[in-house]
Amino acid sequence: MKVEKIRKEFPLLKNKIVYLDNAATTQKPESVIAAFRKYYESSNGNAHRGLYSVSQEATKILDESRETVADFINAEKDEIVFTKSATEGFNLLAYALESEVGRWNHVVTTELEHHSNYVPWQQLAKKTQAELKVVKYNSEKSELDDFSKYVTKKAALVAFTLMSNVTGFIPDAKSIIKKIREENDKAIIVVDASQAIAHIDIDVKELDADFVVFSSHKVYGPTGVGVVYGKKLLLDKMKPFLFGGNMIQEVKEFESTWAEVPDKFEAGTLDVAGIFAFAEALRFLNAQDSEELRAYETELKEYTLSKLKEVDHLTVLGHNSKNYGPIISVLITDLHPHDLAEICARENVCVRAGHHCAQPLMKSLEIVATTRISLSFYNEKKEIDKFIECIKKARKIING
Amino acid sequence: MDELYREVLLDHYKNPHNKGIILKPNIHKEDSNPLCGDMVEIFIRLKGEKIENITFEGKGCVISQTSASILTDELKGKTLKDVQNMTREDLLDLIGLQLTPTRVKCAMLPLSAIKKGIIDYEAKK
């Protein structure tokens, strides 16, 4: 693959920055940045409100963008709800699905989750007095425990990630979902695609989860836009999350009725410019050869792992099978992640240190923090080499 | 080379001052910075209102552990009131570093642990 060519599309990468924190947020191609200017210069009106041209234009752009997002994951247009982030998406679900959970029920999530797909369920269980079941992460095998041990007829809801933001582990979602359905066809299944969306093809029809949540900024779109895909029947049944403008069918003095899905869940003025720019990011990706991008990301990941193997006193979390995305967390016995990340930062190498908003996993692994590098198709092998040099440099500075 | 990791700091990191525990301390507080996993545990023995001895246990990055080492040196003989009046700027002056906001949290961890410990101690009195 011609990395130099694709890098040119990303203005920020021209700043001699080695950006290896793509699991936190991705950089944006020129077309995404330009989309904001284009929108505000020619199409800015409040969608759904005015009869004049720019409002009509904004409505059209919102509608078309929704279709682009739906197509990207093989969903229907009215199954796509826009939020401000994936986190808001999970909170929307935890709130709107409350009536589906009773105190005799179980709510199931896993140790592998980002806090955004953990805390809303933990709090939902508390509120409804349901029992929270947490699928363990087996650190020896580097995989999630068998879901069948946790999912019984009592499960009202099961939430898990399609790709760990710490280790890059990719659970076998299709077979997990199939097994859950066989055991309990009423359980609502929520998956977190925040990391997966940038690295694996997602077809919601094939996957058969009830809800898929992700955000724009982790897949080359702008911040401020999240997506909840939901099966239409469930979305129709759910109560709204926020009240106010746009989500109304009729307001009487003491009663109100709600608009149809997705409007019911989109109270207030949406970030239409951001949604338009997000659709532009997906158009950018659609224009690439996705197989080539994926193959290159895998090649980069393998290269990184081979280079890391050469470093003393370094452990990679997981990555003992092919079921991993290009997200790699390392532990180095004589270097605290914060010190390593700081010394990397001084060399303009962006890596992440910390618990990565996954404290249940950190506890389970009995660690407090890792240093994480997460790759994109715009990264180069020489950038990995630079990171390896930084490890050596940090070791020299700190340990002499 | 590096201001942040200059010799004097690394010396504190490799050979921390006042590391260890005090049996039956008047003030004992553990605090952590969940963001990066730094942890400190503070032990203080008082003589009247003054800090007679102060030690710490902990693990974490260079900044948090060095801050604990330098700060515990500084606080011996000071009163609890002196500690409570100590600001973030005082601490950063003491360590002599320009830090980014994320790293300020690392540096502040020992001081915030000591302040929390004093609050607990005062409440019990």
Side-chain angles (χ1 to χ4, degrees), chain A residues 241-262:
Chain A
F241 176 44
L242 299 170
F243 301 111
N246 190 50
M247 52 78 64
I248 291 297
Q249 184 186 50
E250 191 184 2
V251 178
K252 297 179 192 165
E253 194 175 357
F254 298 107
E255 296 283 336
S256 292
T257 51
W258 319 130
E260 296 289 312
V261 172

Side-chain angles (χ1 to χ4, degrees), chain A residues 52-154:
Chain A
Y52 44 86
S53 66
V54 284
S55 174
Q56 300 278 347
E57 186 64 23
T59 311
K60 191 167 152 251
I61 279 176
L62 178 59
D63 197 54
E64 285 169 358
S65 300
R66 197 185 299 277
E67 191 149 15
T68 305
V69 175
D71 288 347
F72 194 74
I73 56 170
N74 194 26
E76 304 303 319
K77 205 168 66 177
D78 54 2
E79 293 174 322
I80 299 296
V81 173
F82 287 117
T83 59
K84 75 172 160 67
S85 59
T87 295
E88 190 183 75
F90 291 115
N91 280 275
L92 180 158
L93 292 176
Y95 180 83
L97 290 169
E98 197 184 310
S99 60
E100 304 295 315
V101 183
R103 67 188 161 85
W104 51 85
N105 280 136
H106 295 163
V107 173
V108 185
T109 181
T110 88
E111 275 183 347
L112 201 58
E113 303 309 312
H114 186 280
H115 294 161
S116 61
N117 194 27
Y118 190 96
V119 182
W121 311 123
Q122 175 198 60
Q123 295 302 310
L124 173 66
K126 259 196 172 161
K127 205 156 126 195
T128 57
Q129 292 179 290
E131 192 182 331
L132 182 73
K133 295 267 184 188
V134 183
V135 179
K136 297 272 172 225
Y137 178 72
N138 183 327
S139 60
E140 266 167 47
K141 289 190 193 158
S142 302
E143 61 183 38
L144 281 170
D145 225 352
D146 189 348
F147 275 61
S148 58
K149 284 203 266 180
Y150 304 86
V151 178
T152 63
K153 296 261 180 277
K154 285 185 167 181

Side-chain angles (χ1 to χ4, degrees), chain B residues 40-119:
Chain B
V40 292
E41 192 177 358
I42 300 285
F43 303 85
I44 297 176
R45 170 142 289 282
L46 294 170
K47 192 171 189 182
E49 272 296 293
K50 278 193 178 164
I51 295 176
E52 186 182 43
N53 195 13
I54 174 166
T55 64
F56 77 100
E57 279 290 330
K59 56 179 181 187
C61 66
V62 170
I63 305 299
S64 66
Q65 302 305 303
T66 301
S67 168
S69 176
I70 295 175
L71 184 65
T72 46
D73 268 353
E74 172 74 12
L75 294 182
K76 275 183 208 167
K78 295 268 159 56
T79 66
L80 296 184
K81 199 156 189 174
D82 292 335
V83 181
Q84 275 161 329
N85 289 337
M86 192 166 186
T87 63
R88 166 199 299 243
E89 285 65 36
D90 295 337
L91 177 77
L92 295 180
D93 282 351
L94 183 67
I95 312 174
L97 285 178
Q98 295 286 327
L99 294 173
T100 58
T102 325
R103 297 316 291 277
V104 168
K105 280 189 194 147
C106 305
M108 284 295 289
L109 178 65
L111 181 60
S112 87
I114 295 168
K115 285 189 174 183
K116 284 179 193 168
I118 294 174
I119 291 170

Side-chain angles (χ1 to χ4, degrees), chain A residues 107-109 135 147 151 155-160 176 180 187-191:
Chain A
V107 173
V108 185
T109 181
V135 179
F147 275 61
V151 178
L157 185 142
V158 185
F160 68 95
I176 290 171
I180 296 171
I188 293 167
I189 301 173
V190 179
V191 298

